[in-house]
Amino acid sequence: NVTTQCNKVDLSSEYNYSGIVRSGYLSVGVGGSALSFIFYGKSDVTDQSQLKNAPTIIWLNGGPGHSSQIGNFREIGPFLLQRKLNVEIVKN
C-alpha cells in the first residue's frame, strides 16, 4: 500500500537554487504502483502563493524499462551527474 508523499527539498546551499523544490510520489492505479516526481518552482520565487503567477511545465520522458530521472536532472534540473571512476595506479 503506497501513500502519497511530498517532501521539501533545500537546494540553496549546495546548488545555489533559490526556488521552491518538492519531491515525492503519488499513489496511482492498483497493486502499490506509484509515480515519483520532482517539482522545481521558478528560480527566486520563495513564496508558494506566488507560484500561480509562473508558467507550469510538465516533463515526461523515459519509457518501459527506462528511468526519466536522468532527463529530469540533466535537462531541466539544477543537477549535474558525473560518473565516479575508481582508478587504482600501481607502480612497479
Side-chain angles (χ1 to χ4, degrees), residues 2-91:
V2 176
T3 305
T4 297
Q5 290 194 357
C6 182
N7 306 299
K8 291 182 179 182
V9 179
D10 182 10
L11 300 179
S12 60
S13 61
E14 190 169 345
Y15 294 99
N16 196 28
Y17 186 78
S18 62
I20 295 171
V21 182
R22 302 286 187 266
S23 71
Y25 49 89
L26 306 170
S27 296
V28 293
V30 294
S33 296
L35 172 68
S36 65
F37 69 89
I38 299 176
F39 170 82
Y40 304 103
K42 184 178 179 189
S43 184
D44 298 326
V45 174
T46 57
D47 182 357
Q48 190 165 330
S49 67
Q50 293 301 311
L51 289 176
K52 65 183 176 189
N53 300 324
T56 300
I57 298 171
I58 298 176
W59 181 269
L60 302 171
N61 70 338
H66 298 280
S67 172
S68 61
Q69 294 305 321
I70 297 297
N72 183 10
F73 292 148
R74 295 187 70 193
E75 296 171 20
I76 65 170
F79 296 104
L80 174 64
L81 300 178
Q82 295 179 334
R83 177 179 283 171
K84 186 174 182 177
L85 299 175
N86 293 325
V87 178
E88 182 178 336
I89 298 174
V90 178
K91 294 182 179 181

